[in-house]
Amino acid sequence: MQARRTARELALLGMSQLPSTPDRLEIQEMEDVVLAAVRTLTTEGQESLETAMAELQRGNDRLLSSQTRAADLPSARTMVGEAIALAQSAINRLSTAVELPELVQLASQQEVHSYAVKILVELNTHREALDSCLEAAMVDWQLGRLPRIDRDILRIAVTELLYMGVQEQIAVNEAVELAKRYSDHNSYRFINGVLRRVVDQMKTQSSSLL
């Protein structure tokens, strides 16, 4: 269980840094996958810190001006609060980047590597079908408008459902946990809803074939 959970994290985080062609993915070594995931986390952490610093500066400037304009005080407080949240997110990303190699070391490295690569190979082989399935399950929204991390979490879950024989409850629950860990606090509910509709569609299609 822990090995597969770690593999999902590696697949999610390394996806943007690794090749997209299945034949090149299959020859990626464990070190390549871990390095790709760590690079993603550190890049996102650095970007969040830079944004937080800019937001803190804006909040500070607004606080200074609020000494003469009381109306500016609420917006200044909001800016500082948002900056603190961004900084916390950045710290979490950087902390995870440090912890990830140790998680892989503690888990079965071969199982982690094999499962992470299998997810990525199946996902990239069937990407068009996966996206069509997800588009059909979206309500008043489009897959392309989602944040990249949310799209990739959904793609991993549907890959496991359709092409890797993972039980529905496990695939959905693991996707929700990934969203809680790597996306914002509202995304996991949205992802859960989309995947529940995907599961319902699968059941409807199976029933129609009987």
Side-chain angles (χ1 to χ4, degrees):
M1 185 69 173
Q2 181 58 49
R4 288 195 172 189
R5 180 165 290 178
T6 303
R8 290 183 188 96
E9 290 191 41
L10 286 177
L12 174 66
L13 297 169
M15 197 180 304
S16 63
Q17 301 273 344
L18 291 168
S20 59
T21 53
D23 57 335
R24 291 186 63 194
L25 279 168
E26 288 174 346
I27 62 173
Q28 296 298 305
E29 298 291 339
M30 185 61 163
E31 293 80 3
D32 299 325
V33 180
V34 174
L35 180 59
V38 170
R39 281 177 173 167
T40 297
L41 285 167
T42 52
T43 298
E44 289 181 353
Q46 289 168 351
E47 289 174 352
S48 293
L49 280 175
E50 289 171 3
T51 304
M53 289 173 64
E55 197 69 11
L56 277 173
Q57 184 60 56
R58 289 177 60 207
N60 182 62
D61 294 343
R62 188 65 61 87
L63 280 171
L64 291 175
S65 68
S66 69
Q67 293 176 8
T68 55
R69 291 188 298 177
D72 285 343
L73 188 56
S75 63
R77 286 175 174 165
T78 299
M79 286 179 180
V80 172
E82 290 173 352
I84 290 171
L86 284 168
Q88 184 61 57
S89 174
I91 291 168
N92 290 341
R93 290 283 192 274
L94 295 172
S95 176
T96 304
V98 172
E99 294 170 358
L100 199 55
E102 183 179 357
L103 284 176
V104 174
Q105 188 67 32
L106 291 173
S108 168
Q109 287 199 42
Q110 185 55 48
E111 185 178 354
V112 171
H113 176 256
S114 297
Y115 200 76
V117 170
K118 183 171 178 58
I119 288 172
L120 292 171
V121 168
E122 294 293 341
L123 190 156
N124 283 287
T125 300
H126 303 287
R127 184 182 291 263
E128 187 174 339
L130 291 168
D131 287 359
S132 295
C133 177
L134 285 166
E135 289 282 7
M138 308 273 284
V139 177
D140 299 326
W141 204 256
Q142 294 178 342
L143 189 64
R145 294 176 61 191
L146 294 180
R148 179 193 59 81
I149 197 77
D150 292 352
R151 287 199 306 270
D152 290 342
I153 289 172
L154 287 167
R155 286 167 173 159
I156 287 172
V158 180
T159 296
E160 289 191 299
L161 282 168
L162 295 181
Y163 303 107
M164 299 177 69
V166 175
Q167 293 179 6
E168 296 164 1
Q169 194 66 36
I170 293 174
V172 174
N173 287 348
E174 290 297 315
V176 167
E177 290 305 313
L178 280 174
K180 287 179 179 178
R181 185 167 174 82
Y182 293 108
S183 192
D184 65 49
H185 65 283
N186 291 318
S187 289
Y188 78 89
R189 294 187 181 89
F190 176 81
I191 284 171
N192 181 68
V194 172
L195 291 177
R196 294 296 176 190
R197 287 191 289 275
V198 169
V199 169
D200 289 343
Q201 289 174 357
M202 291 170 58
K203 289 178 179 177
T204 300
Q205 290 171 358
S206 296
S207 299
S208 66
L209 294 175
L210 296 177

